[in-house]
Amino acid sequence: MCGIVGFTGGKQAAPVILDGLTKLEYRGYDSAGVAVSDKDGTIDIVKAKGKLKVLGDLTDGGKKLKGLCGIGHTRWATHGEPSENNAHPHCNDEKTIVAVHNGIIENFTPLKEKLMRRGYTFYSETDTEVATKLVDYYYKKYGEPLRAISEFALHVRGSYALAVLFKDYPGKIFAIRKDSPMVIGYTDGGAYLASDVPAILKYTRNIYYTDNHDIVLLSEKGVTFYNLDREEIKKDATVISWDAEAAEKGGWEHFMLKEIHEQPEVVKNTVNYFLHDGKLDLSELNLSEEYLKDIGSIIITGCGSAYHVGVVAQYVLEDLARIPVRVEIASEFRYRKPVLSGKELVIVISQSGETADSLAALREMKQNGVKTLAIVNVLGSSIAREADSVFYTKAGPEISVATTKAYSAQLIAMYLIALKLAKVRGAVAGEYYATLKKELTLLPEKIEKTLALKEEVQKFASQMMDKKDVFFIGRGIDYAVSIESSLKLKEISYIHSEAYAAGELKHGTISLIEDGTLVLGILTQKNLIEKTVSNLVETASRGAYVAVLASEKAEGIPEKFERIFRIPETDEHFFASLAVIAMQLFAYYLSVLRGNDVDKPRNLAKSVTVE
Ligand code: M6R
């Protein structure tokens, strides 16, 4: 979704801002803009529809805009079409107050009407222009920027990371956030503001994560935080341990390909962090063994791929820990009125930790007095801070919109939690528990071996690139992998695809199978192979082109299937970690072959901070 960057300090602001915005391109956007103020506070604004390159060309990489203080924005349209007029920054009529905003102002219509009654007119369709003019209104009323910003916060509903320049305060950026991410950085050379760390990591590792309703004043001299009562508050900086290269392509053609190949390392890091010398240590989660023994059931929630991890986890947790589990799509769950006993543990899975629906589901559960555990990748994100406990995955920054390494790290988190629960609840025999732990440590090299399928998969993708419909089918964990494989294919290749529980196909969907329809069967679950094979044969009899992904030792796969890809053996609970790798590669190569923008697929954003 939208990205914000701000800088004030001892160098020209626009090039820093444009550079920062390029690091946020992964968030998805359709227009961009930058505003810079000079020594006497006069503010220049340049905006453009389309890619940042257009804005870069207009401003000669920012050099044409002179000034040491500025704000910039990449916009992912919500209110109003993508256009130069709707692009941020927005301003008041006198161009003395200029703002960029990420999020949605839910009550923008009544606020707009109120402002219109007071003589304001509007030039765009955006909620951000309303936000800017609301700040203007309170600034004119109270004559003080901090007061104007806190009044803004008291009168709007919704989510925002808002950064504002006031002509009367040259060299200063005022900002506030609620439910939209905003990080602040500081060095001797100046102060930075951004929607995400990679945008400013090149300049500083000292990052302040802001809380809801923190008001921030950035100037060359430093950063000051205030609460809504405009009282100064103290915040501690976090030193970021990963470096800027982690968020760069580093010679790979796409971030997605780089991140696919980082999976052995990511899995190793996450496993090794919690499992050392054969001991599983989840003490960081602050969940006592007494508590874990006493949990009545588990509810897992998340969106997109994070939800798909939950589907895998349901099979693993129920089987290993013998605990009832339900998995819920966060955007549905948040509006349901679930019957709760109070003995549930709600696990919210999110790479970004900022997904609006997942955050809302978490809050809903907390309000109901239910204990929450977040599995999150981004340090200091909203979900991480609001959950009762956090399991931080060790995936490092994930830039490609299509998640790969974060999904894999989330799977590991769920396996480790399942093992812990299985152990404390006495659901797993000691010997098997040891085998499972050992098997987890072997996963990185097995993922590496699966990655070696790359050329075979690439060739296969080149033969399949004209397919109009693809079906992924499987049972149990293989079904869970199918839904993730199908999403991956859809989101970056734009090929229509369905994922089906193999046994469900004949209850309607098999009517869609035609001559040449590609059906991909996933066959890793020993007891279910025969059943899924029968379902695949049913599609082959109706003309489907059947290819399968099976474990090395899987037997009973008919030779008449067109293609068979083999992945290494592992414990049946962990196969998702291997099968998904081949499917990620398949989606990746199809997308490349079709000439798509792999890392930034159309209409999508990396972090979905709106409902
Ligand atoms: O940041 P989150 O994990 O909460 O994001 C959830 C989904 O938006 C995300 O997994 C999405 O489905 C991915 N683009 C899939 O590749």
Side-chain angles (χ1 to χ4, degrees):
M1 306 252 118
C2 308
I4 290 181
V5 178
F7 170 71
T8 178
K11 56 190 164 198
Q12 292 299 316
V16 175
I17 292 166
L18 287 181
D19 175 56
L21 288 176
T22 60
K23 307 284 184 328
L24 298 180
E25 278 193 298
Y26 71 89
R27 296 171 68 84
Y29 70 103
D30 39 54
S31 55
V34 60
V36 169
S37 75
D38 67 11
K39 257 195 254 141
D40 72 0
T42 304
I43 306 169
D44 255 355
I45 304 174
V46 184
K47 314 197 278 189
K49 186 181 165 189
K51 294 286 171 196
L52 273 168
K53 179 162 184 333
V54 185
L55 188 66
D57 289 348
L58 275 176
T59 60
D60 189 15
K63 285 190 220 111
K64 279 193 191 157
L65 282 167
K66 302 282 180 222
L68 307 182
C69 174
I71 51 180
H73 188 266
T74 45
R75 173 175 186 255
W76 189 84
T78 56
H79 297 74
E81 54 164 11
S83 68
E84 187 186 324
N85 193 42
N86 286 331
H88 304 204
H90 285 286
C91 61
N92 62 353
D93 292 348
E94 303 86 5
K95 236 167 87 178
T96 51
I97 293 182
V98 175
V100 291
H101 161 231
N102 170 18
I104 287 196
I105 307 296
E106 285 164 7
N107 58 336
F108 92 107
T109 307
L111 288 172
K112 188 172 183 176
E113 285 164 3
K114 181 172 152 182
L115 288 167
M116 284 166 88
R117 285 197 296 278
R118 289 180 164 90
Y120 280 85
T121 55
F122 290 87
Y123 59 83
S124 78
E125 299 156 80
T126 63
D127 53 344
T128 303
E129 189 191 351
V130 176
T132 311
K133 290 185 172 166
L134 193 67
V135 173
D136 176 66
Y137 171 75
Y138 288 115
Y139 181 63
K140 284 181 176 143
K141 188 164 174 183
Y142 296 110
E144 207 266 301
L146 287 180
R147 176 76 191 267
I149 302 266
S150 65
E151 288 293 334
F152 158 86
L154 294 172
H155 288 86
V156 297
R157 269 202 324 274
S159 58
Y160 46 83
L162 182 83
V164 192
L165 301 177
F166 292 79
K167 181 177 190 304
D168 298 343
Y169 292 81
K172 294 190 163 55
I173 304 172
F174 294 82
I176 185 165
R177 66 91 100 182
K178 178 182 165 272
D179 295 345
S180 285
M182 184 168 74
V183 295
I184 307 293
Y186 183 69
T187 62
D188 292 345
Y192 301 81
L193 163 160
S195 301
D196 198 359
V197 176
I200 56 177
L201 195 58
K202 182 165 151 191
Y203 310 103
T204 178
R205 283 172 178 279
N206 297 320
I207 299 291
Y208 296 95
Y209 290 100
T210 55
D211 287 301
N212 276 348
H213 292 138
D214 283 347
I215 302 177
V216 196
L217 168 57
L218 297 94
S219 73
E220 188 187 1
K221 295 200 189 86
V223 183
T224 320
F225 296 93
Y226 302 89
N227 62 19
L228 275 188
D229 293 327
R230 290 166 285 133
E231 296 157 343
E232 201 173 321
I233 50 173
K234 270 213 79 56
K235 289 191 94 69
D236 293 324
T238 303
V239 181
I240 299 296
S241 56
W242 45 272
D243 51 24
E245 285 83 66
E248 305 283 347
K249 262 191 254 175
W252 292 91
E253 203 181 337
H254 296 102
F255 278 110
M256 184 177 176
L257 191 61
K258 173 179 179 248
E259 288 162 5
I260 287 174
H261 284 83
E262 282 171 355
Q263 289 176 110
E265 193 60 27
V266 160
V267 165
K268 188 153 97 197
N269 291 344
T270 309
V271 171
N272 289 353
Y273 186 86
F274 295 100
L275 191 63
H276 17 84
D277 302 327
K279 280 218 168 68
L280 173 56
D281 179 6
L282 295 188
S283 54
E284 192 173 286
L285 274 52
N286 284 324
L287 299 171
S288 69
E289 296 207 343
E290 289 66 44
Y291 169 73
L292 293 175
K293 264 186 221 160
D294 200 40
I295 295 171
S297 68
I298 291 180
I299 303 173
I300 306 175
T301 190
C303 300
S305 298
Y307 164 76
H308 296 162
V309 169
V311 181
V312 176
Q314 182 175 36
Y315 292 103
V316 177
L317 274 162
E318 287 197 334
D319 197 46
L320 285 180
R322 304 306 302 148
I323 188 165
V325 181
R326 53 196 240 244
V327 198
E328 304 270 359
I329 293 169
S331 55
E332 289 294 314
F333 187 51
R334 61 178 293 193
Y335 294 114
R336 289 240 311 277
K337 295 192 176 55
V339 181
L340 302 163
S341 69
K343 288 190 82 179
E344 296 83 2
L345 170 66
V346 172
I347 304 182
V348 181
I349 308 178
S350 174
Q351 187 284 130
S352 63
E354 299 292 348
T355 301
D357 286 315
S358 307
L359 181 59
L362 171 92
R363 288 181 178 159
E364 199 62 38
M365 285 300 103
K366 283 191 76 177
Q367 264 176 16
N368 277 285
V370 178
K371 190 141 177 108
T372 55
L373 163 66
I375 297 179
V376 170
N377 194 40
V378 176
L379 201 76
S381 53
S382 302
I383 292 175
R385 278 179 305 156
E386 292 191 28
D388 298 314
S389 310
V390 189
F391 185 121
Y392 276 117
T393 48
K394 314 289 171 207
E398 189 178 65
I399 306 296
S400 171
V401 165
T403 181
T404 52
K405 62 174 180 169
Y407 171 93
S408 285
Q410 289 161 355
L411 281 180
I412 298 298
M414 287 305 327
Y415 299 157
L416 292 170
I417 291 167
L419 276 185
K420 180 77 190 170
L421 280 164
K423 181 79 172 93
V424 299
R425 296 166 78 96
V428 67
E431 211 177 304
Y432 186 39
Y433 177 65
T435 309
L436 288 167
K437 282 189 294 182
K438 175 85 185 130
E439 196 51 41
L440 278 181
T441 65
L442 298 177
L443 275 180
E445 74 190 58
K446 294 186 179 181
I447 294 175
E448 200 74 70
K449 279 196 186 135
T450 311
L451 283 169
L453 282 176
K454 181 157 79 169
E455 276 163 30
E456 230 182 296
V457 173
Q458 187 175 12
K459 196 163 159 226
F460 178 62
S462 70
Q463 292 155 354
M464 297 297 121
M465 66 180 280
D466 294 325
K467 293 287 178 202
K468 299 262 178 301
D469 304 287
V470 180
F471 288 77
F472 292 87
I473 69 168
R475 288 168 183 254
I477 286 174
D478 292 337
Y479 165 63
V481 177
S482 296
I483 53 180
E484 173 60 9
S485 308
S486 174
L487 174 66
K488 211 90 300 168
L489 185 75
K490 279 185 273 230
E491 73 175 322
I492 60 171
S493 76
Y494 316 148
I495 295 174
H496 167 252
S497 152
E498 305 265 351
Y500 255 79
E504 187 66 10
L505 210 59
K506 57 184 165 301
H507 296 287
T509 316
I510 200 163
S511 64
L512 293 171
I513 304 293
E514 294 175 347
D515 256 358
T517 304
L518 173 59
V519 178
L520 276 158
I522 304 182
L523 302 172
T524 68
Q525 303 295 295
K526 210 166 164 212
N527 299 338
L528 301 169
I529 291 177
E530 221 173 79
K531 304 277 177 206
T532 305
V533 163
S534 303
N535 302 130
L536 287 165
V537 170
E538 285 155 16
T539 66
S541 315
R542 285 153 183 87
Y545 181 104
V546 176
V548 300
L549 183 70
S551 59
E552 251 159 26
K553 294 191 183 146
E555 288 170 0
I557 301 172
E559 276 176 16
K560 67 173 178 188
F561 289 171
E562 313 277 351
R563 294 297 291 267
I564 303 173
F565 297 92
R566 297 279 185 178
I567 55 173
E569 288 295 329
T570 182
D571 179 86
E572 60 175 355
H573 299 94
F574 304 150
F575 265 119
S577 290
L578 304 181
V580 78
I581 307 289
M583 295 307 186
Q584 292 167 350
L585 287 167
F586 180 57
Y588 170 78
Y589 285 118
L590 266 179
S591 171
V592 172
L593 286 160
R594 289 166 72 100
N596 297 347
D597 190 346
V598 178
D599 288 328
K600 286 168 270 161
R602 67 186 182 203
N603 306 333
L604 291 179
K606 178 70 179 160
S607 170
V608 184
T609 49
V610 295
E611 285 183 38

